[in-house]
Amino acid sequence: AQTVTQSQPEMSVQEAETVTLSCTYDTSENNYYLFWYKQPPSRQMILVIRQEAYKQQNATENRFSVNFQKAAKSFSLKISDSQLGDTAMYFCAFAQGGSEKLVFGKGTKLTVNP
Amino acid sequence: GAVVSQHPSRVICKSGTSVKIECRSLDFQATTMFWYRQFPKQSLMLMATSNEGSKATYEQGVEKDKFLINHASLTLSTLTVTSAHPEDSSFYICSARDSHNQPQHFGDGTRLSIL
């Protein structure tokens, strides 16, 4: 079974600084997708970024980018120019290609300090 | 685009009551919807996968007779917690996607409190 590990339960960063959240996963499959979701205090799950495993290029969405290391099964999220609104729980998630299920990590609580 | 509406956002009721939660895709047709449960300070745990016009697929350990799922149309899935008890108190979140291998879009969640 696939597993997703987020080794940092909590992190903090100063406003305007850069922070990287770690995620590793375990799978024997070659076709899969990786996601980062953000859950602010409002509890809504918001898709931050998505990466297809077959793509070598790292996905980027404005201030959010990933470092996808397929051989190492690592999928870290970098947030540049952190903003107060980035304060949230961040969940890394895995979905096997052709499967419908998302497997979530335990989450990292990120606090952006003014 | 890709808005998922979940209702109600908050429910408080007595033990033994049945509670229905609705999940609607507002601007797309959702062939598949998912129901998750989230305990405080924990991650999301998939309860079941709901496919329009067919029976839901439940994850191991989830009681299908306790958590009834109906996906009668391409825009609506409902989760009914039958004869709810305090241990059913939790945060329930639905998600939906419009086609295969597309990302799931989540509703705002329902906080269920059973007294």
Side-chain angles (χ1 to χ4, degrees):
Chain A
Q2 290 85 8
T3 58
V4 177
T5 302
Q6 293 179 251
S7 59
Q8 305 151 315
E10 293 191 39
M11 291 192 73
S12 62
V13 63
Q14 291 299 121
E15 196 175 5
E17 297 292 308
T18 295
V19 64
T20 299
L21 308 183
S22 301
C23 173
T24 59
Y25 58 94
D26 187 24
T27 183
S28 58
E29 302 295 327
N30 263 322
N31 179 25
Y32 54 87
Y33 299 81
L34 295 162
F35 308 84
W36 279 98
Y37 280 91
K38 168 186 177 181
Q39 188 178 40
S42 64
R43 305 295 295 271
Q44 184 185 17
M45 293 289 286
I46 302 166
L47 177 64
V48 174
I49 202 163
R50 177 182 188 236
Q51 175 83 43
E52 291 91 342
Y54 63 86
K55 289 187 177 179
Q56 292 186 336
Q57 187 173 5
N58 289 324
T60 299
E61 287 288 341
N62 301 314
R63 298 182 295 108
F64 299 88
S65 62
V66 298
N67 183 5
F68 175 45
Q69 300 290 327
K70 190 171 183 179
K73 296 180 182 175
S74 171
F75 183 62
S76 60
L77 174 69
K78 185 172 82 171
I79 305 174
S80 304
D81 186 25
S82 297
Q83 300 176 1
L84 296 178
D86 295 334
T87 293
M89 283 290 291
Y90 286 81
F91 292 98
C92 179
F94 171 101
Q96 183 179 326
S99 170
E100 310 194 333
K101 302 178 185 181
L102 275 175
V103 177
F104 286 91
K106 292 188 175 182
T108 297
K109 182 180 180 181
L110 176 67
T111 301
V112 180
N113 298 308
Chain B
V3 177
V4 175
S5 172
Q6 188 172 338
H7 179 80
S9 59
R10 184 85 161 96
V11 180
I12 303 173
C13 58
K14 294 181 179 179
S15 184
T17 306
S18 292
V19 178
K20 180 185 284 188
I21 303 169
E22 292 186 349
C23 182
R24 294 180 184 272
S25 56
L26 298 185
D27 52 0
F28 66 100
Q29 293 185 327
T31 55
T32 306
M33 291 185 172
F34 304 86
W35 288 97
Y36 295 86
R37 184 172 180 175
Q38 186 178 29
F39 290 103
K41 299 184 179 180
Q42 293 191 26
S43 189
L44 279 72
M45 297 297 295
L46 179 65
M47 298 174 66
T49 302
S50 170
N51 293 298
E52 186 267 337
S54 64
K55 291 183 179 180
T57 302
Y58 290 81
E59 294 301 298
Q60 191 173 6
V62 177
E63 299 176 57
K64 61 178 69 176
D65 294 331
K66 175 74 170 176
F67 300 99
L68 300 179
I69 292 173
N70 184 280
H71 193 158
S73 77
L74 284 172
T75 59
L76 173 65
S77 176
T78 61
L79 168 68
T80 301
V81 184
T82 61
S83 187
H85 289 92
E87 58 266 28
D88 299 322
S89 298
S90 190
F91 191 67
Y92 294 87
I93 312 177
C94 73
S95 71
R97 65 176 196 192
D98 57 359
S99 60
H100 207 53
N101 289 337
Q102 290 302 306
Q104 295 180 25
H105 300 280
F106 286 81
D108 288 348
T110 298
R111 184 178 300 281
L112 176 62
S113 300
I114 308 298
L115 305 178

